[in-house]
Amino acid sequence: VAIPTSVRTKEQAESLNIPLVTLDTHSKLDVAIDGADEVDPGLNLVKGGGGALLREKMVEVMADKFIVIVDESKLCDGLGPGFPLPVEITPFCHEHTLRTIAALPSCAGSDAVLRMGSSSSNVPDGDEIAVTDNGNYIVDLHFKEAIKDAPKMATELKNTVGVVDHGLFCDMTTAVIIAGSDGISVKEA
């Protein structure tokens, strides 16, 4: 059985007759397998470019093992400049929350941009505010330089009122399977 982490994945799995459950009935998971938008040398991740970061994190923290599958283009020396960091926020006072995030010391030097159009694309593709499967908004943080301390940023973001969750997945990854020009390799935590 599987637990989908987005409405889109749920619909696709159902169309393929994959048996599905939820954390409500299966809170203990052996393994979670997912992709990532960026992977640093410490196996910290940026995830959520597709807008499902909260659901992904809820499922993946419950797994004994979290396996990430990426191609070599997702590897980076430092998180941030290669892919915007998504932060899921409540719609209530969203402009205030966006400004609060931008003012956090660990977010200095980033441009905080409210995601527009589809929540599953971090590239603006519409005029309406993007809404997640959970009814929330996403602020994408664009960095020109690598995030200096991803775990510290994760804590600052999580402690900000109005922030539901963020796309930093720190100290969660068991292994990363990498498809590269020389074949498949594995990095373990």
Side-chain angles (χ1 to χ4, degrees), residues 29-34 56 59-68 174-175:
L29 308 174
D30 296 324
V31 65
I33 302 170
D34 207 347
E56 290 172 341
V59 169
E60 289 152 9
V61 299
M62 298 311 301
D64 291 337
K65 294 180 181 180
F66 176 34
I67 310 300
V68 177
T174 305

Side-chain angles (χ1 to χ4, degrees), residues 29-81:
L29 308 174
D30 296 324
V31 65
I33 302 170
D34 207 347
D37 300 308
E38 281 191 319
V39 181
D40 76 7
L43 304 187
N44 295 310
L45 314 172
V46 168
K47 291 183 51 58
L53 58 113
L54 174 62
R55 291 181 184 207
E56 290 172 341
K57 194 173 285 184
M58 288 178 70
V59 169
E60 289 152 9
V61 299
M62 298 311 301
D64 291 337
K65 294 180 181 180
F66 176 34
I67 310 300
V68 177
I69 302 173
V70 297
D71 68 62
E72 63 190 353
S73 72
K74 306 292 183 167
L75 303 179
C76 62
D77 292 330
L79 302 176

Side-chain angles (χ1 to χ4, degrees), residues 15-180:
S15 75
L16 298 169
N17 296 316
I18 296 172
L20 301 176
V21 296
T22 69
L23 288 176
D24 290 336
T25 59
H26 292 74
S27 293
K28 181 79 170 109
L29 308 174
D30 296 324
V31 65
I33 302 170
D34 207 347
D37 300 308
E38 281 191 319
V39 181
D40 76 7
L43 304 187
N44 295 310
L45 314 172
V46 168
K47 291 183 51 58
L53 58 113
L54 174 62
R55 291 181 184 207
E56 290 172 341
K57 194 173 285 184
M58 288 178 70
V59 169
E60 289 152 9
V61 299
M62 298 311 301
D64 291 337
K65 294 180 181 180
F66 176 34
I67 310 300
V68 177
I69 302 173
V70 297
D71 68 62
E72 63 190 353
S73 72
K74 306 292 183 167
L75 303 179
C76 62
D77 292 330
L79 302 176
F83 198 91
L85 172 65
V87 181
E88 190 163 343
I89 66 171
T90 62
F92 179 73
C93 296
H94 67 277
E95 292 178 8
H96 162 75
T97 304
L98 183 146
R99 289 191 305 272
T100 301
I101 292 167
L104 291 172
S106 62
C107 296
S110 69
D111 293 322
V113 179
L114 187 63
R115 190 175 291 187
M116 303 298 287
S118 168
S119 66
S120 64
S121 173
N122 71 332
V123 177
D125 61 357
D127 297 330
E128 300 292 321
I129 296 172
V131 179
T132 68
D133 291 346
N134 307 305
N136 296 311
Y137 297 166
I138 294 179
V139 173
D140 288 309
L141 298 177
H142 297 262
F143 292 88
K144 294 173 184 66
E145 297 179 11
I147 296 168
K148 291 175 181 45
D149 188 340
K152 179 180 178 183
M153 180 181 288
T155 299
E156 281 190 7
L157 286 167
K158 191 68 174 175
N159 289 337
T160 301
V161 174
V163 170
V164 178
D165 218 321
H166 52 77
L168 287 170
F169 286 54
C170 298
D171 302 317
M172 292 176 57
T173 309
T174 305
V176 177
I177 300 171
I178 304 147

